[in-house]
Amino acid sequence: MPVRHLRISGVRNLQPLVIDPHPHVNFIYGDNGSGKTSILEAIAVMASGKSFRTSQLKHVLSHDHDRMEMRVGLSDPDLGECDMESLRLKSGDHLLKLNGSVLTSQAEAAHWLPVQIIEPNTFKLLSGSPEERRAFIDWGVFHVEHTFMDQWKTFRKHLKQRNAVLKQKEAEWLDVWNDGFIESAEAIDAQRRAYLSRFKPEFERILKQLDPEIGVSLAYYPGWEKDSKLADVMQRQQERDMVLGYTQSGPHRAELRIKCDKQPAAEILSRGQQKTVVAALKIAQGALFQQESKRSTIYLVDDLASELDEKHRFALCRLLEELKCQVFITSIDKEKLTDVWKPVASKVFHVEHGNLNEETPNE
Ligand SMILES: Nc1ncnc2c1ncn2[C@@H]1O[C@H](COP(=O)(O)OP(=O)(O)OP(=O)(O)O)[C@@H](O)[C@H]1O
Ligand SMILES: [Mg+2]
């Protein structure tokens, strides 16, 4: 479901822009500070409600504006041509609409606009907290299992209730909440497990194409002792949970362990190798999503050249081309984008002081 039409205003230094991106490859180049990342950031904010650069969206709003507005025209296999709008005010209020009807959650926007981001800080998926890797697994599950979001909400409710009981030291109420907690926890675990068993071979295939010399293994930890039943673990940990005032084990503690020679990959691999592994994770996720949903991901690749040599840039671009999905890819140098790779179909945009202009092919 490529973005056919894009309007952005009120974002960082960008002048209000209106473009018709190419359904496959969009190269965006320009000097430092010209606004390249801001364009990708605007698309990411619209899709996920979050920026990959800041945890506070107020920083994304242009200093000279009191609102940021984004609008995309999408061509979706289920909905056909559709229009998504996002309005965010300085006050923090925001509104999302699909074909003029208000969307009640950000998850709905994420469903219609599935975006994957590869950017210079992307290696944090390996070195950052387990939460980032849980979010990574859950992106994949959410986009193929339509019951996952509701199951996750049910689990959060049970976890909150159980933690409240633990805090109040109301031991007599624990049994009441345990059953629902365990049932919803196991449902989430089963979906994550099933997803990862399909994901792993895809990841291995992609990583081999990006760099056959990097050996990395993925191991899923459900959030409790691997070979024990959650009900037994809850029983064993009940006293300690009561002392701590929270639930120690469960899918909220799940982890995807990414290892290299039995050591955490983040401790062993170079930055370029880490970026390659993360790119393989993200491309594998998009490829699997495409196979299972017949829809496709939009890739936002910021600063392609950072950390990656020519050979790896080429391999990454070829994989993105094979996916036949839509890509927005930035670089300071036009040559660093087009030297290694000339996709069959693409558009080139130049950004200068927040102004984005499409270049004609012979420029
Ligand atoms: N809230 C804001 N309002 C206005 N301008 C801003 C705001 N936040 C950042 N800027 C400016 O926006 C510009 C664009 O930043 P951006 O990160 O998009 O540039 P870039 O082209 O990706 O640069 P680089 O090549 O260094 O990554 C910067 O000059 C920055 O100072
Ligand atoms: Mg940038």
Side-chain angles (χ1 to χ4, degrees):
M1 57 241 72
V3 171
R4 299 278 186 196
H5 188 72
L6 175 67
R7 275 171 190 268
I8 301 173
S9 71
V11 171
R12 300 218 189 242
N13 74 328
L14 296 176
Q15 295 301 313
L17 68 85
V18 183
I19 55 164
D20 290 335
H22 194 282
H24 292 304
V25 182
N26 295 278
F27 292 124
I28 301 170
Y29 77 97
D31 292 344
N32 288 136
S34 57
K36 304 177 296 296
T37 303
S38 305
I39 298 165
L40 306 194
E41 189 180 26
I43 302 173
V45 168
M46 178 147 194
S48 65
K50 285 189 268 182
S51 160
F52 52 86
R53 287 168 95 176
T54 171
S55 56
Q56 291 181 293
L57 285 183
K58 65 176 183 189
H59 297 305
V60 184
L61 176 69
S62 159
H63 298 319
D64 312 325
H65 289 69
D66 57 7
R67 54 170 56 200
M68 62 182 162
E69 289 180 78
M70 277 89 81
R71 193 176 180 134
V72 295
L74 290 169
S75 87
D76 184 86
D78 297 327
L79 293 181
E81 298 297 315
C82 59
D83 204 38
M84 200 191 292
E85 289 167 73
S86 154
L87 169 66
R88 288 183 179 268
L89 303 181
K90 205 173 191 171
S91 60
D93 289 340
H94 72 280
L95 182 68
L96 277 166
K97 283 186 184 175
L98 182 70
N99 287 341
S101 304
V102 174
L103 295 178
T104 50
S105 70
Q106 186 66 52
E108 281 190 78
H111 172 78
W112 298 114
L113 201 58
V115 160
Q116 286 278 357
I117 302 155
I118 300 173
E119 49 101 27
N121 287 318
T122 228
F123 59 85
K124 281 200 187 136
L125 184 57
L126 299 189
S127 57
S129 69
E131 204 178 338
E132 302 210 21
R133 289 178 291 282
R134 273 198 297 278
F136 173 79
I137 307 174
D138 290 347
W139 187 101
V141 188
F142 165 78
H143 280 282
V144 287
E145 299 289 351
H146 300 303
T147 55
F148 185 71
M149 198 65 197
D150 286 340
Q151 258 158 5
W152 181 250
K153 280 188 195 153
T154 308
F155 168 73
R156 295 292 312 178
K157 199 174 74 195
H158 287 303
L159 177 66
K160 212 168 144 196
Q161 283 162 336
R162 192 175 189 275
N163 284 346
V165 166
L166 290 169
K167 238 176 227 117
Q168 301 299 321
K169 315 273 180 237
E170 296 170 332
E172 66 281 12
W173 283 102
L174 265 183
D175 283 347
V176 177
W177 299 120
N178 272 352
D179 289 350
F181 175 88
I182 291 167
E183 195 182 323
S184 55
E186 286 178 341
I188 289 173
D189 177 54
Q191 288 193 327
R192 283 178 173 164
R193 235 175 244 280
Y195 175 73
L196 284 172
S197 68
R198 305 192 305 277
F199 175 78
K200 272 190 209 170
E202 194 60 27
F203 166 70
E204 282 158 14
R205 182 180 74 81
I206 301 276
L207 183 61
K208 208 179 256 172
Q209 288 186 51
L210 276 179
D211 190 332
E213 281 166 27
I214 302 178
V216 159
S217 65
L218 304 180
Y220 169 64
Y221 165 72
W224 62 90
E225 293 157 35
K226 221 163 123 201
D227 302 315
S228 302
K229 280 190 147 186
L230 181 58
D232 297 340
V233 174
M234 299 313 284
Q235 206 62 46
R236 275 203 301 278
Q237 293 185 340
Q238 191 150 310
E239 251 176 62
R240 181 88 182 124
D241 279 357
M242 194 76 85
V243 174
L244 294 170
Y246 63 83
T247 308
Q248 299 168 78
S249 296
H252 56 301
R253 289 295 179 85
E255 166 69 303
L256 180 65
R257 294 183 174 144
I258 306 174
K259 295 201 168 171
C260 194
D261 290 334
K262 300 195 177 139
Q263 302 297 322
E267 303 292 341
I268 305 290
L269 299 177
S270 74
R271 296 220 343 166
Q273 287 172 326
Q274 289 184 47
K275 187 166 175 179
T276 302
V277 170
V278 174
L281 287 164
K282 299 203 168 191
I283 292 175
Q285 195 157 65
L288 194 60
F289 169 66
Q290 197 153 315
Q291 290 158 28
E292 297 189 343
S293 69
K294 306 288 172 243
R295 305 173 78 214
S296 61
T297 318
I298 297 163
Y299 277 88
L300 308 178
V301 184
D302 193 29
D303 208 351
L304 173 72
S306 89
E307 323 280 4
L308 294 184
D309 58 29
E310 202 178 295
K311 194 174 81 188
H312 287 92
R313 288 205 304 277
F314 180 72
L316 174 64
C317 290
R318 284 304 301 272
L319 279 168
L320 289 171
E321 188 176 17
E322 279 168 22
L323 275 185
K324 297 195 171 49
C325 57
Q326 190 173 37
V327 188
F328 292 84
I329 188 163
T330 76
S331 181
I332 296 162
D333 256 325
K334 190 175 169 184
E335 283 63 44
K336 284 249 161 65
L337 285 172
T338 50
D339 59 345
V340 290
W341 181 52
K342 290 192 177 51
V344 214
S346 62
K347 278 189 179 180
V348 178
F349 296 91
H350 182 213
V351 204
E352 235 175 342
H353 307 298
N355 282 300
L356 183 75
N357 287 302
E358 186 182 337
E359 283 190 353
T360 47
N362 50 4
E363 260 179 81

